[in-house]
Amino acid sequence: MKKILLGFALFFGVTQTQAQENNLQLKGTIADTVVQYVYLQKFHNKMFTTIDSVKVKDGNFSFKTKVKTPELYGLSVNTAESPLYIFLEKTPITVKLSPKKYYSTSVVEGSASQDLFETYKKTKDVEISKFITAYPNSIVSAYVLYRNWSYRLTPDQITQNIALLDKSQQSSTYVKELKELVTVLSGLAVGKKAPDFTANNPDGKPVRFSENLKGYTLIDFWASWCGPCRKENPNIVAAYKEFHDKGFNIIAISLDKKKENWIKGIQDDKLDWLQVSDLLFWNSAVAKLYGVRAIPANYLVDSKGIIVAKNLHGEELQSTLKSLLDKKVSNQ
């Protein structure tokens, strides 16, 4: 796999300097005659924010917006939907935009970073260190480490992979955020005290974490829109029913955007424990405080707020609680 990746590197000849602001040379065509506008969106923290829009004329559109490149952006015809991911560069770029099937039929030409990103998607089973070693000076390597791997790695592993990146990428947005994440995660190791926070419950009343510590508490990050979270919820419900009377409690932090979806998710999944949210999606202040980059995620803390375990799912949650609470009973 490494030889194949190195071969791709030679083929693409991907070399990049530090990101700078440039006027885009981005134009494209769109076959759908109903579409009136194309939106350019900036990627940050797993979210896209619209920064410009242009009117489609005779099936053509063009952006000359001044933006930082090379970096990841999005193109869409509907800002309520996920856009076409596109790595923009200083070079002229053309796009054949297919609004109904962005990923399977849209075509991007002129961006070496986009070509490499498409290659990564086809070989994404490769270890991140091997990918970075093959493409150390590409913004794609920094992005993939930030977006696809940061939640799988320890702080030391993230730091080691950052060191593999070329100096041209050390000041990139993605590396800067990774370094901040390393600092946060280093303070959240087992044995460290969980940081305190306050957030509103569904009634809009503030709930302080430190005032709701008793027995063992699971700090659970989820959202109604998160499929894996909803799949895991029955296991958490079962654990709560079995161990709540023995000293197990939960405070859940939702990364929802809409209050009605959050409340419906609570009701549908029968989540009968403390629920809080600032309804800011991935901009959740508590998620940032706990270095959460993917959900479901959780921390188990004792009555003093000391972290005793992280990311317990499925049977592991049940067995860990049984061990801790049985030990507590035997020591009484």
Side-chain angles (χ1 to χ4, degrees):
M1 180 61 78
K2 185 175 181 180
K3 290 182 179 178
I4 293 175
L5 285 170
L6 289 173
F8 279 137
L10 291 173
F11 176 76
F12 285 121
V14 179
T15 57
Q16 294 174 342
T17 57
Q18 293 182 353
Q20 297 178 339
E21 282 202 345
N22 300 289
N23 289 323
L24 280 179
Q25 303 174 66
L26 174 64
K27 61 182 181 179
T29 59
I30 185 165
D32 193 330
T33 56
V34 176
V35 173
Q36 293 186 325
Y37 288 90
V38 174
Y39 301 92
L40 177 65
Q41 297 176 295
K42 181 75 169 64
F43 173 84
H44 175 68
N45 195 24
K46 296 190 177 184
M47 297 180 290
F48 286 90
T49 303
T50 301
I51 57 174
D52 199 2
S53 64
V54 293
K55 190 171 180 62
V56 177
K57 297 181 180 179
D58 300 322
N60 297 285
F61 63 90
S62 177
F63 285 95
K64 296 181 180 179
T65 318
K66 192 170 186 177
V67 297
K68 183 184 288 187
T69 59
E71 271 194 24
L72 176 67
Y73 291 83
L75 281 181
S76 74
V77 298
N78 182 351
T79 57
E81 299 175 354
S82 181
L84 171 69
Y85 285 41
I86 178 170
F87 279 88
L88 298 179
E89 298 182 345
K90 188 177 180 180
T91 55
I93 297 172
T94 60
V95 181
K96 292 181 181 178
L97 188 62
S98 176
K100 294 182 179 178
K101 296 182 178 179
Y102 284 139
Y103 298 105
S104 60
T105 55
S106 292
V107 178
V108 179
E109 295 179 338
S111 169
S113 296
Q114 186 72 14
D115 292 341
L116 181 55
F117 183 53
E118 296 300 328
T119 298
Y120 169 75
K121 289 193 292 185
K122 295 175 183 176
T123 59
K124 60 183 179 182
D125 58 325
V126 69
E127 291 181 9
I128 185 59
S129 59
K130 292 181 179 179
F131 188 80
I132 295 175
T133 299
Y135 312 102
N137 57 353
S138 173
I139 191 67
V140 177
S141 293
Y143 166 79
V144 168
L145 176 60
Y146 164 78
R147 177 64 178 85
N148 298 86
W149 283 86
S150 60
Y151 64 91
R152 311 187 209 180
L153 304 175
T154 66
D156 286 344
Q157 289 172 329
I158 295 173
T159 300
Q160 290 164 9
N161 279 284
I162 289 174
L164 296 175
L165 290 164
D166 184 78
K167 64 179 181 180
S168 63
Q169 299 305 317
Q170 294 299 324
S171 61
S172 68
T173 299
Y174 310 126
V175 170
K176 288 179 180 178
E177 295 200 19
L178 282 168
K179 289 180 177 178
E180 292 177 4
L181 179 63
V182 166
T183 300
V184 172
L185 292 178
S186 296
L188 289 163
V190 171
K192 299 277 190 178
K193 188 164 185 176
D196 199 5
F197 61 86
T198 300
N200 288 346
N201 66 15
D203 294 326
K205 296 180 180 179
V207 174
R208 187 170 182 176
F209 164 63
S210 59
E211 294 176 353
N212 289 277
L213 283 173
K214 23 184 188 178
Y216 287 94
T217 301
L218 189 73
I219 308 169
D220 182 46
F221 293 88
W222 76 294
S224 67
W225 50 259
C226 168
C229 302
R230 304 298 293 271
K231 188 176 180 180
E232 175 65 13
N233 276 344
N235 176 62
I236 300 177
V237 169
Y240 187 74
K241 287 181 178 178
E242 182 173 354
F243 298 106
H244 176 57
D245 290 341
K246 299 177 182 178
F248 174 54
N249 295 283
I250 304 172
I251 181 166
I253 299 93
S254 169
L255 273 63
D256 269 288
K257 294 182 284 185
K258 296 182 178 180
K259 184 175 181 179
E260 57 269 29
N261 293 346
W262 173 36
I263 293 174
K264 187 175 187 304
I266 294 171
Q267 294 172 342
D268 288 350
D269 291 2
K270 298 178 173 57
L271 310 181
D272 298 325
W273 47 79
L274 276 177
Q275 298 278 345
V276 298
S277 180
D278 52 18
L279 298 173
L280 292 177
F281 198 31
W282 284 107
N283 281 332
S284 163
V286 186
K288 183 176 182 179
L289 185 66
Y290 278 80
V292 172
R293 297 285 305 144
I295 53 175
N298 60 56
Y299 289 83
L300 183 65
V301 302
D302 65 15
S303 59
K304 295 181 180 179
I306 304 300
I307 298 170
V308 298
K310 297 192 289 185
N311 291 324
L312 299 171
H313 304 296
E315 178 58 33
E316 190 177 12
L317 174 61
Q318 303 265 357
S319 59
T320 300
L321 290 171
K322 189 174 189 306
S323 175
L324 289 171
L325 293 170
D326 284 353
K327 185 186 297 184
K328 180 180 177 183
V329 172
S330 64
N331 290 334
Q332 288 178 346

